[in-house]
Amino acid sequence: MKPFRYERADDVASAVATVTDDPRAAFLAGGTNLVDLMKMEVATPGVLVDVRHLVSHDIEDLPDGGLRIGAGVSNSMVAADRRIRRLYPMLSQAILAGASYQLRNLATAGGNFLQRTRCVYYRDIATPCNKREPGSGCSARGGHERDLAILGASEACAATHPSDMAVAMAAVDAVVHTQGPAGERTIPVNELLRLPGDEPWRDNVLERGELITAVDLPPLAVAANSRYRKVRDRASYAFALVSVAAAVEVADGLVRDVRLALGGVAHKPWRAFTAEQALLGAPATEENFHAAAEAELAGARPLPGNAFKVPLAANTIVSMLRALTEEAR
Amino acid sequence: MTVTSAGPSAVGAALDRKDGPLKVRGAATYAGEWPVDNPAYLYPLQATIAAGRITGVDASAALDLPGVLGVITHVNAPKLAWATDPEVAVLQSDEVAWRGQIVGAVVAETLETARHAAGLVRLAYEQRPHDTELRADRHDLHRPQHAALFGAAPGDLQDGSPADSALGDVDAGLAEAAFTLDATYTTPMNHHNPMEPHTGIAVWTDDEITLYCSSQGVHLHRSLLAGAFGVDAARIRAISPHVGGGFGSKVYPVVWGTLALMGAQLVPGRPVKFALTRQQMFALVGYRPATIQRVRLGADSDGRLTAIAHDVIQQTARAKEYAEQTVGATRAMYAAPNRSTTTRVAALDVPVPTIMRGPGEATGMFALESAMDEMASAAGLDPIEFRIRNEPAVHPEHGLPFSTRNLVACLREGARRFGWEGRDPAPLSRRENDWLVGTGVASSIYPSPRLPGNSASIHADADGRYTVRIGAADIGTGTWTALTQIAAEALGVGVEDVNLEIGDTSLPVASSAGFSSGINCWGSTIYAAADELRKLLDSEHGGMVPAEGIEASADMPDNPYMEQFAMYSFGAQFAEVRVHEDTGEIRVPRLLGVFDAGRIINPKTARSQLIGGMTQGLSMALHEASVIDPRFGHVVNNDLGGYHFASNADVGSVEVHYLEERDPYTNPMGSKGIGEVCIVGTAAAIANAVHHATGVRVRDLPITLDKLIV
Ligand SMILES: Cc1cc2nc3c(=O)[nH]c(=O)nc-3n(C[C@H](O)[C@H](O)[C@H](O)COP(=O)(O)OP(=O)(O)OC[C@H]3O[C@@H](n4cnc5c(N)ncnc54)[C@H](O)[C@@H]3O)c2cc1C
């Protein structure tokens, strides 16, 4: 672990200025990911700028019926919020499926989106990794492949994004608010996180010094009938092999609205637009669920060590759609 | 005050742990917590190649860092008197024998400085090709030798038994059989992860050398370290009253102690603190070696075994040969006229394996008890009935009678309690919602051996209090409580009159907590000391404790029955398993074990041991696997996020029962070993239940969902 300085900025603008100007500075929220990486010298910031007290700690109602989650709200508080449990149950379930009580009490939405991959080679400075050390090569391919991506990977990187929360956020089309050197902007979650391409060291589209200040959940009727299912190597306290956030609305036997996103399969939460398109307006039948899942996974490029994720993802999608539509009947 | 023999028995009472209140209040002192003045901190450096040598060391940046007290590498490390054992010696040459081996250490004013400085030391290497892959078709498999007690005693396997055994003619037995099975089972490396990492605080002065540590046996650790440093053992005091788990990892590997002492030599008189990180443990504290096991069984049309053959290939380290008795249980379990066992090892460029709860038996019985289940199906017999038909009258290899053997009673009692009767043996016969449900059974066995080197003293006060001293260990097992009960029984007094002292080399010598032998050895020795005390009182003091008090001591007496009887604990384990039809997820809502472990000293601490062992067995069945990346040569899932063991949510109901029978031959208490029999068989019971639920026979541990998903 390298020595570092800890700072508490007085306002968002000065926090943004510090991190913008100093390439060795980083924002600190709950610290549950960043501090771990610092101990392993995977991350070596010289200055930590604590931002937790600078951003909102509230979940506010928005005029359009949506909700705004301040970047200072703990993951635990988001999961426990009555409105979120009623209007977006999959989001609450996704958060509760992740980490542990203690970690969720510290973790924040911004930090959760920006947590780094759990790929074992990324986390070990004694092995090459393009994400950690651009151009050094990818150790994961041909190595421990169980946790790697089956969709959207590149030659340079097959890491997965580890978050559960972000999968549900992707499914509800959440939007983050940021404040950066160039001012404020909003970014849909589905565009915030990116695929590795040949720049796997870039997990997201944020500029240096750009701070996430809040996340908006848009009003979304279908989200009230939603669920999050996480399949993992033990019953608790493990990252997803495959996870599915699903919301469906069925009327007269037809799918009226649907949202599907997958975790554990790609470098970002994988919004299953292809499957959604196949399902919209179609009869809510087992065959159609299968066909939609298969269409989504047609582009999967599994590795020998994670080929099981393809049938697992398909089965889990179908299983979720079946459960949600059975309940609706 | 008079000492009478065998008074109202304290043994058998479900006493609360004596150390419980201390632990609950956080007042039990663990190795890293001893209050010491002005400690320095040590942080190790680990090799980043798996084979080769160090060609250069540049410690200048580290040494320039304020607060750094010294950097130790092979270049400047003290030369040890005994430098050949890689589980003890460090920094004695430029050779690197595995990735993650200790190649240096920094001592500094703070832990943070030591850790930072460690990252600044630059090592240059000359790398040799390495080889870390265990495969059955390797050409360099060899019969292990002199592994017993790590080369200190003869014997092929670490329990002193031969690598191979044979009786009759296996080929003929298989040829005449009505049913045969030939199947290969594999088990992966499993790594030690006790909650408390290996920790030492060392102080080196001209007269005394003190090591606060986390030890399964302070006397063994002292003698290993005294030998390494070439100092008189009496100069070293090792102190370890409370241990946050050991499971075998705190018996032999002691490089953490060597490093702490080297650090202490660097700053004489000043305490040096050193605790391994979780990641470092994966290269330095040992593991259960991976195995490839071929089992062949033959049975006649009545389901009587005609042949049993068990051929094991397992990994060992090139740095030091370790070979465990994976075939040991097979030699004792079932009757068959034709039988053979073999053990071969492959020496790889990996860290040194070590004993881990049920070393050999746990992996061997996964294979044998899975095979027995497969054979029962093939022969159309209930798996319990099949086992009962093959129950031997005497030890099937050497012919000695068993001191006690209640395996059949365990199976029957377990079947009754579990609700085995009426079970539809067909796979895929039960489905509840989206879950396939199955049940399975397996037997458990573990020897009740003794380890040499035990002595105890008892001091009696005139006011009726007894101080019992022995350097035994409580690694969370309940030794503090159980030995107090045994001493009370041996002295014929109440437990409240006994003051026990353990976990310190200033006490009489004791063997380590291992091989489920602790209570057997330490309890027998305390019994002998109580006899001595009684004799002394009777012969010289008319049975009365004199005003100034009196002390007697004794060594562990020989047990002549050990040559006349085969001594083992037994058990039967039952599992209910659910497998999700869509995802292949596996849940174990219910485990039930019935054990024959002789007389139970304390039903409460015994229950914790048995539940703990079965839980660890569940973890072995479903979760635990260290993944070596052969390109780099190290375990890549080297933290608790990547190396999974059972979480609370994975463990459903675990029920344990004992058949209370006093063993007349094992020791004066009538007890048998309890700490390891409980992990033996669990994995097979679960694998058998998975097969019953799904029709899929998983022969490669761990049983993960990818092996079940279609
Ligand atoms: C043992 C363990 C198990 C876990 N299991 C799971 C799991 O199963 N599922 C799961 O989803 N997660 C899991 N996690 C991860 C956990 O959810 C994340 O560590 C947590 O969400 C990170 O949030 P934080 O506030 O602590 O972030 P920090 O560690 O403080 O920050 C993480 C990153 O985000 C940046 N950052 C933080 N806040 C902002 C902001 N407002 N704007 C811009 N940048 C910011 C930081 O600079 C840093 O780069 C686990 C973590 C651990 C340690």
Side-chain angles (χ1 to χ4, degrees), chain B residues 41-92:
Chain B
Y41 294 83
L42 185 143
Y43 197 85
L45 290 163
Q46 292 176 280
T48 54
I49 60 166
R53 48 179 216 95
I54 302 164
T55 53
V57 177
D58 177 3
S60 51
L63 287 166
D64 285 348
L65 205 66
V68 170
L69 299 167
V71 176
I72 315 170
T73 65
H74 71 280
V75 178
N76 62 345
K79 288 296 155 234
L80 296 176
W82 174 49
T84 49
D85 184 336
E87 292 190 283
V88 182
V90 293
L91 307 178
Q92 296 302 294

Side-chain angles (χ1 to χ4, degrees), chain B residues 432-559:
Chain B
E432 285 172 19
N433 300 323
D434 297 331
W435 297 85
L436 304 172
V437 185
T439 52
V441 65
S443 304
S444 308
I445 183 172
Y446 195 80
S448 276
R450 281 191 174 184
L451 293 175
N454 281 282
S455 181
S457 73
I458 304 180
H459 182 94
D461 280 344
D463 65 1
R465 290 204 52 82
Y466 297 84
T467 301
V468 178
R469 296 190 173 94
I470 182 165
D474 190 327
I475 54 174
T477 45
T479 307
W480 278 110
T481 318
L483 286 190
T484 301
Q485 291 175 265
I486 290 171
E489 177 174 84
L491 291 163
V493 301
V495 284
E496 62 285 355
D497 296 326
V498 174
N499 171 34
L500 178 74
E501 294 181 6
I502 61 171
D504 190 332
T505 50
S506 68
L507 303 170
V509 62
S511 55
S512 303
F515 300 99
S516 298
S517 68
I519 292 298
N520 187 354
C521 298
W522 309 325
S524 303
T525 310
I526 289 172
Y527 246 89
D531 276 347
E532 279 309 311
L533 180 66
R534 230 179 337 265
K535 275 190 222 148
L536 194 61
L537 282 173
D538 288 345
S539 63
E540 291 178 26
H541 300 278
M544 297 295 290
V545 177
E548 69 277 15
I550 187 169
E551 182 159 321
S553 59
D555 293 341
M556 181 171 69
D558 283 340
N559 178 2

Side-chain angles (χ1 to χ4, degrees), chain A residues 120-121 123-127 143-144, chain B residues 46-47 49-50 98-101 130 132 188-193 278-290 315 349-352 624-644:
Chain A
V120 295
Y121 303 97
R123 291 165 61 86
D124 179 351
I125 58 168
T127 57
H144 184 37
Chain B
Q46 292 176 280
I49 60 166
W98 72 86
R99 189 168 171 126
Q101 185 185 341
H130 62 260
T132 61
M189 291 169 88
N190 278 182
H191 260 86
H192 274 297
N193 275 292
R278 191 58 66 182
Q279 287 90 344
Q280 288 160 2
M281 287 171 65
F282 281 82
L284 298 171
V285 306
Y287 57 92
R288 199 191 285 292
Q315 85 187 109
D349 300 304
V350 293
V352 185
E624 294 191 45
S626 316
V627 180
I628 282 212
D629 185 326
R631 301 166 307 167
F632 301 105
H634 69 298
V635 174
V636 293
N637 57 336
N638 61 356
D639 62 25
L640 298 189
Y643 182 88
H644 291 155

